[in-house]
Amino acid sequence: MDELRRQVQRARWWLGMQRFLRALGWCCFGTLLVAAALIGIDKYRSLGVEPWGWAAGAVGLGFVLAGLWAFFAGRGAVDAAIEIDRRFGLKERVSSTLTLSEAEQQTEAGQALVADAVRRAGQIDLAEQFAVAPGRQIFLPLAPALVAFLVALFVPAAGENPVEGKTDAEAARRQVEKSRESLQIKLAEKREKAKREGLEDAQKLFM
């Protein structure tokens, strides 16, 4: 009977992991979608959190939510026994055995049922029918994660207007041109002055 209970506990663990992984894709999809929105909002109104912080927090929250879902939606031992019967074609031997009362287990029929269930349970390999398969939904978080990355990388903040940046660069270029022209005028004046005063060496200096 102890071996039967151990098999049932293993089945419960496999089922719990299956629920967790299937919920994880949806939970992280939702939390990363919210994170992408918050990163976008931060571009226009600073929230004081770096983009990677939103993303990391979203993934962590997704794991927590998936764990809570797997825990609260978990099945009992009888449900796990029913799954063993269904997947291995045991015709309710395991589930019926677990529902027997102590008095029923002591009867001749009860003992025969327990012995048969224990024997059958000892012959099966749960990994054959209870392998964890997360499903395609595990890839769902990739979409909002990509959106969050693109928003963080390519959407400029409100104070980083590309048009204003271009205008500032143009103004700086004009200022340099103006300074260069002013310097050329001053040099030309000094050459003229040196020429009037007959200072040939000075003329060469200001060429």
Side-chain angles (χ1 to χ4, degrees):
M1 192 68 175
D2 289 340
E3 177 60 26
L4 181 64
R5 290 194 176 95
R6 280 194 292 269
Q7 289 284 61
V8 172
Q9 284 301 112
R10 293 190 192 104
R12 288 186 68 183
W13 186 87
W14 282 104
L15 292 171
M17 283 298 298
Q18 183 75 19
R19 284 191 301 274
F20 171 76
L21 290 177
R22 289 186 179 275
L24 183 62
W26 287 106
C27 290
C28 286
F29 173 80
T31 54
L32 282 170
L33 199 61
V34 173
L38 291 173
I39 291 172
I41 293 173
D42 187 72
K43 294 290 184 177
Y44 299 95
R45 183 176 181 179
S46 179
L47 301 175
V49 180
E50 294 293 330
W52 65 264
W54 290 119
V59 173
L61 181 59
F63 271 83
V64 172
L65 292 177
L68 291 174
W69 171 261
F71 178 79
F72 287 107
R75 300 181 182 182
V78 174
D79 290 323
I82 292 173
E83 280 298 312
I84 294 175
D85 287 331
R86 185 181 68 82
R87 299 187 186 196
F88 289 95
L90 298 181
K91 299 180 180 179
E92 301 183 355
R93 286 182 174 86
V94 177
S95 56
S96 297
T97 300
L98 287 185
T99 58
L100 290 176
S101 65
E102 290 291 336
E104 290 173 332
Q105 291 180 26
Q106 300 304 318
T107 64
E108 184 177 347
Q111 290 178 356
L113 178 60
V114 170
D116 183 51
V118 170
R119 180 177 61 83
R120 296 280 187 141
Q123 295 174 347
I124 63 176
D125 182 7
L126 289 180
E128 293 180 358
Q129 297 295 330
F130 284 86
V132 176
R136 293 181 179 178
Q137 62 267 29
I138 198 67
F139 298 107
L140 285 173
L142 294 178
L146 179 60
V147 171
F149 174 78
L150 293 176
V151 170
L153 195 62
F154 296 109
V155 175
E160 298 177 357
N161 193 318
V163 176
E164 292 180 0
K166 184 176 180 180
T167 302
D168 292 341
E170 183 66 23
R173 188 186 65 80
R174 287 198 301 268
Q175 183 64 33
V176 171
E177 287 289 333
K178 184 177 179 181
S179 299
R180 186 172 63 84
E181 291 174 358
S182 176
L183 179 61
Q184 288 177 343
I185 292 173
K186 290 181 179 180
L187 289 175
E189 292 176 350
K190 289 183 180 297
R191 283 197 301 270
E192 287 296 325
K193 183 178 179 181
K195 182 178 180 181
R196 287 195 302 271
E197 296 177 357
L199 301 176
E200 297 182 0
D201 292 339
Q203 291 183 54
K204 295 178 181 179
L205 179 64
F206 295 116
M207 291 297 291

